[in-house]
Amino acid sequence: MAEALKPVIVIPARMASTRLPGKPLANIAGKPMIVQVLERAKEADIGPVLVACAEQEIADAVTGAGGQAILTKPDHPSGSDRVHEAVELFDPAGTHDVIINLQGDLPLLDPSAIRASLKSVEESAADLATLVAKINDPAELDDESAVKAVVSLLPGAKRGPALWFSRLKAPGGEGAHYHHIGIYAYRRAALARFVALPPSPLEMREKLEQLRALEAGMRIDAALVDTVPLGVDTPEDLARIREMFKARIAR
């Protein structure tokens, strides 16, 4: 039986981006991207939604759209640290026991994916949960920008323990490979433990933050979903997303 949890969704956002500076405020269908993501999070309908902002202009855009913004320290080393600060400011009493860390560059995310990450924590003893999708394009296996998850999945299973993450093709042998989708549902104590840990050796080698949790012995479960949401990292991604929104509006 699933345990009753009280989640909160937190979307970290900052203006600095190497490939697309200022992307939280990029206009998509008449709204800043961060507002589009905020709306997808609200559509999941699982609890309050916060935007953890590094800068005041992001907070102004969020509150102007009726959302709740938490202004955090600007110099956090990662989104996870920003999320942790925002939760402690929003809920110092510890009412919310699961924190969903949602990337701020997924304006077309299916809200059901957010619910799937929460379900994985509810129905397991995992410290945190994330999402994966089956890789169908062989070229993606050689693309080091596409993070692969090594997940132990029994035939027909939709969830299993994530044993490793890599930018290289893994594991070897015949069988499915999985694309990691960077949405995390943390138990609150697990998030506090995670941000208190120093960066780990293999995390720094692969440049994948989630390896810090595995190296510390934390359990990550991965839920299998059907598709990988398009993230916005480059001007080309932004142009593509804008066209996809136009197509949605035209339907």
Side-chain angles (χ1 to χ4, degrees):
M1 182 176 177
E3 59 180 306
L5 300 174
K6 294 182 179 179
V8 57
I9 301 173
V10 188
I11 310 166
R14 64 189 184 101
M15 294 295 285
S17 171
T18 304
R19 291 183 286 180
L20 190 61
K23 72 178 181 178
L25 301 186
N27 187 303
I28 298 176
K31 300 176 183 177
M33 179 163 60
I34 192 62
V35 173
Q36 293 285 6
V37 178
L38 173 68
E39 291 179 355
R40 302 296 85 73
K42 287 182 176 180
E43 288 164 8
D45 194 27
I46 61 171
V49 181
L50 317 173
V51 179
C53 310
E55 295 93 4
Q56 185 65 49
E57 55 260 52
I58 301 175
D60 291 343
V62 170
T63 56
Q68 186 163 3
I70 304 289
L71 197 61
T72 64
K73 299 173 184 176
D75 57 350
H76 281 299
S78 74
S80 301
D81 295 278
R82 194 174 310 286
V83 165
H84 181 255
E85 183 193 356
V87 169
E88 292 303 307
L89 291 170
F90 170 72
D91 179 31
T95 301
H96 295 280
D97 50 9
V98 171
I99 296 96
I100 296 177
N101 181 343
L102 179 61
Q103 292 182 52
D105 57 4
L106 300 173
L108 278 175
L109 178 68
D110 187 335
S112 66
I114 302 172
R115 293 192 289 269
S117 68
L118 174 63
K119 186 177 180 181
S120 287
V121 173
E122 287 178 330
E123 297 183 348
S124 77
D127 295 295
L128 62 150
T130 190
L131 303 178
V132 298
K134 186 177 178 181
I135 294 175
N136 296 310
D137 181 0
E140 189 175 332
L141 293 174
D142 298 318
D143 180 0
E144 293 189 12
S145 67
V147 178
K148 291 81 179 174
V150 179
V151 185
S152 180
L153 281 178
L154 295 172
K158 294 294 184 181
R159 186 183 72 243
L163 304 177
W164 195 245
F165 299 86
S166 180
R167 297 185 181 279
L168 302 179
K169 177 182 175 180
E174 295 297 320
H177 292 85
Y178 299 99
H179 179 112
H180 178 231
I181 300 167
I183 299 171
Y184 297 96
Y186 284 91
R187 294 186 188 275
R188 186 156 182 167
L191 178 60
R193 180 185 172 198
F194 177 82
V195 299
L197 292 168
S200 62
L202 292 169
E203 170 192 358
M204 293 188 286
R205 181 170 176 172
E206 284 264 20
K207 295 181 173 59
L208 295 175
E209 187 183 53
Q210 62 271 35
L211 295 182
R212 187 191 317 173
L214 291 179
E215 289 181 76
M218 299 172 74
R219 174 177 162 182
I220 304 177
D221 271 15
L224 181 63
V225 296
D226 293 331
T227 57
V228 178
L230 178 63
V232 179
D233 290 316
T234 67
E236 292 76 20
D237 293 338
L238 181 58
R240 183 180 172 193
I241 281 282
R242 284 170 170 164
E243 290 302 315
M244 293 170 75
F245 266 87
K246 285 181 183 178
R248 287 180 70 195
I249 293 168
R251 285 202 299 264

